[in-house]
Amino acid sequence: QVQLVESGGGLVQPGESLRLSCAASGAFFSRYDIGWYRQAPGKQRELVAGITRGGSINYVDSVKGRFTISRDNAKNLVYLQMNSLKPEDTAVYYCGARWAGVTPQYWGQGTQVTVSS
């Protein structure tokens, strides 16, 4: 079992940056694929960035060149560096840990990111 806790959200102006952190507890964290997801009001949750247990990385097109995902397996942490934030990035951001299949088996509680002038 893995427990996930996100932090680092907040209110920022367009063009500013935030770094989200996902802290994991439990065994075998390095064996999970980790994704950062977001859900805006009235919209479905979407995968923003993912990093596999092998280190492969993917991003949704809308954040490519602005967001960077990374993981530190020694510290059981996954980060999402978000630069040049836009109002459309406003959402609750979740990290999810996936052992198998398409959908993560474990989720954090989410952290709110609001981009507004």
Side-chain angles (χ1 to χ4, degrees):
Q1 182 126 6
V2 175
Q3 292 81 43
L4 304 171
V5 179
E6 303 94 335
S7 61
L11 171 63
V12 297
Q13 295 188 347
E16 294 185 338
S17 299
L18 281 175
R19 188 175 82 157
L20 305 183
S21 298
C22 174
S25 60
F28 310 118
F29 170 74
S30 63
R31 299 185 185 181
Y32 288 82
D33 299 336
I34 304 295
W36 280 101
Y37 297 74
R38 66 186 178 188
Q39 188 165 19
K43 295 188 177 181
Q44 288 190 333
R45 190 172 298 188
E46 66 169 347
L47 177 63
V48 175
I51 184 165
T52 69
R53 66 204 75 180
S56 296
I57 290 173
N58 66 284
Y59 300 99
V60 69
D61 285 347
S62 61
V63 308
K64 286 180 179 177
R66 300 188 298 122
F67 290 12
T68 303
I69 189 171
S70 60
R71 68 189 296 168
D72 184 338
N73 288 332
K75 297 181 179 179
N76 281 14
L77 287 167
V78 177
Y79 303 102
L80 185 67
Q81 178 67 42
M82 306 187 295
N83 298 329
S84 302
L85 283 161
K86 303 176 180 181
E88 50 264 42
D89 295 317
T90 296
V92 178
Y93 283 71
Y94 301 88
C95 64
R98 181 169 61 92
W99 176 267
V102 178
T103 302
Q105 285 74 45
Y106 304 104
W107 293 97
Q109 83 289 348
T111 186
Q112 176 71 47
V113 172
T114 303
V115 185
S116 175
S117 55

